[in-house]
Amino acid sequence: MFEKTGIPSAEMIMKKFPPIERINKGAVAVIECYKEIPCNPCETACKFDAINVGEDINSIPKAKFENCTGCAICLSKCPGLAIMIVDGSKSKDTVEVKIPYEFLPLPKEGQFVKGLNREGSYITDVKVLKVLAPKSFDRTPVITIEVDRRFLYEIRNIKVEV
Amino acid sequence: MKQAEIVIIGGGPAGLCAALSAAKSGSNVLIIDKNKNLGGQLIKQTHMFFGSEKQYASKRGIDIPEILIDELFKYKENVEIKTEATAVGMYEDGIITVLEKEDNYYKIEPKAVIVATGAYEKFLSFPNNDLPGIYGAGAVQTLMNVYGVKPGNKVLMVGAGNIGLIVSYQLMQAGVEVKAILDAAPKIGGYLVHASKIRRMGVPILTSHTVKEAIGNEFLEKVVISEVDEKFNRIKGTEMIFDVDVMCISVGLTPLNELLALRGCEMKYIPQLSGIVPVRNENYETTVENVFVAGDATGVEEASAAMVEGFLAGLCAAAKIGYKPDDFIDRKNDYIKQLNNLRSGPAGKHILAGIEQIGR
Ligand SMILES: Cc1cc2nc3c(=O)[nH]c(=O)nc-3n(C[C@H](O)[C@H](O)[C@H](O)COP(=O)(O)OP(=O)(O)OC[C@H]3O[C@@H](n4cnc5c(N)ncnc54)[C@H](O)[C@@H]3O)c2cc1C
Ligand code: SF4
Ligand code: SF4
């Protein structure tokens, strides 16, 4: 189905997520790159040896969650916008999620926006905590949102109403 | 008659890298491009590129020409650039004819030539496919990203290859609504990371669907699509109607290399390389001596591969006319290794199968 619709299945998604204990310890990258393509900037970008593609740049990137600091450098460098950061250490009820967002208008910090799943359907309102767009992110802003924990495995995008 | 050591026809990624490589070896190069700006397809690619660091991965396409041109500047006494200059003929006696601007017509006699003319878009046939509002994906991208003009308000994209997916994404960035992306193939042809990023914006991707007809009086108003079976025959009763003012056709590119055929190079039809391509050796030299080729003109692939092919062809063309650097073998092997690496995955399989048929 994924190859017909572009929507990964729940199992595929779960396989890319770190264990919940790791998420509850602090920020960590989720690399949703499912197919072999000639690409490796995620590996090049990571200063902590937490992503491995290897000699053959067609290999699927492998995450080493124990090395990941959640710094989000890889997130803005991935041309597939396939990486997000999840952090379950801040609260029992919510998780903080960082996603790339290349659309205007950018949300404002403190604003509530619509949270969307991988199909682009609305799931819940989310609060925007941070909007980062430094020069080094090269026009791929990174948005931090606070999301109800129940939607940890579903949230993947936002919609900013104009 | 203008004399030149190496003439490079086309200043896209392949041509710029060929120029860089040949100039670095010590040869004089003359780049001619029919456009006002150098960069070829790159000047409208506002997205980040794949590949590895050596092919500027993660940089945006639009920023790569500047990097290459800055690099070329280091060899400025060896480089001459002519823009708005079209190579209109290449003849058996080695002469190239050029039309610069509107009325400056002249001949060049180079020692070697590298043809890096890129590719052009294929189109689809269906009733009313000539209505205003029906564009090739390249035209839509040029309007938006080169001229800053919105092509319309509601778009139906035909083709779920990388180009269809990326242009859809860029349309959404420009504030245009993309109603759906369809493709006759049963699977999405482009990279799935691209497909996912569009899907999560809420745009449906309809595989096994094709255009039945376009409807409109003076411009496009509606498009009728239908599902197709495994043999690409339309299935009756599956029609759907979209109210759109733009339909964007993105069903692939085909190599642009008539100049090589005119010059007498042996050409072959190779479906995996998307059309008629010149037979060439591993130095990217065609069957005519000192006539080289690089980039999409040798088979439609990616800018990453086009750049490496350009570096390789530039190196080999310069060596052929007497500028063989000491590190020739090392550079050549590095380029070959990069190309093999780019093509080693599932996406590169058909390219390799195609290349096997054109080696000489
Ligand atoms: C929407 C889209 C997205 C893409 N995304 C990616 C990507 O993410 N990563 C990637 O690696 N690749 C990507 N590509 C592919 C990439 O752009 C091409 O593979 C690459 O540009 C080919 O380079 P080239 O130099 O062979 O040809 P081109 O870039 O097409 O350049 C050819 C040049 O030759 C000139 N020319 C042609 N004929 C003549 C003549 N007779 N006289 C003078 N000049 C002439 C043209 O004006 C042009 O400047 C994308 C392409 C498109 C359309
Ligand atoms: S978030 Fe930082 S540490 Fe973790 S994989 Fe990405 S770049 Fe590496
Ligand atoms: S940079 Fe992104 S698209 Fe490329 S291999 Fe890494 S995760 Fe996949």
Side-chain angles (χ1 to χ4, degrees), chain A residues 20-32:
Chain A
I20 189 71
E21 300 76 42
R22 173 64 187 84
I23 295 173
N24 287 341
K25 271 195 202 137
V28 60
V30 182
I31 306 162
E32 281 189 82

Side-chain angles (χ1 to χ4, degrees), chain A residues 31-35 37-43 51 53 57 59-61 74 77-83, chain B residues 50-51 193:
Chain A
I31 306 162
E32 281 189 82
C33 193
Y34 297 100
K35 281 278 300 208
I37 52 173
C39 186
N40 73 357
C42 51
E43 177 186 58
I51 304 183
V53 176
I57 64 165
S59 306
I60 294 174
C74 56
K77 292 284 180 220
C78 165
L81 305 186
I83 304 177
Chain B
F50 291 89
V193 279

Side-chain angles (χ1 to χ4, degrees), chain A residues 53-71:
Chain A
V53 176
E55 184 71 8
D56 178 359
I57 64 165
N58 283 279
S59 306
I60 294 174
K62 279 197 253 356
K64 284 186 246 163
F65 301 126
E66 62 285 8
N67 289 357
C68 178
T69 63
C71 71

Side-chain angles (χ1 to χ4, degrees), chain B residues 164-179:
Chain B
L165 296 172
I166 287 168
V167 175
S168 298
Y169 185 74
Q170 293 175 355
L171 279 159
M172 285 185 273
Q173 288 181 308
V176 177
E177 188 185 350
V178 178
K179 289 284 191 186

Side-chain angles (χ1 to χ4, degrees), chain A residues 3 81 102 139-140 157, chain B residues 58 60 63 169 188 196 200:
Chain A
E3 298 198 316
L81 305 186
E102 297 183 319
R139 291 152 283 177
T140 303
N157 195 11
Chain B
S58 186
R60 292 178 188 276
D63 297 330
Y169 185 74
I188 296 167
S196 295
R200 63 176 178 258

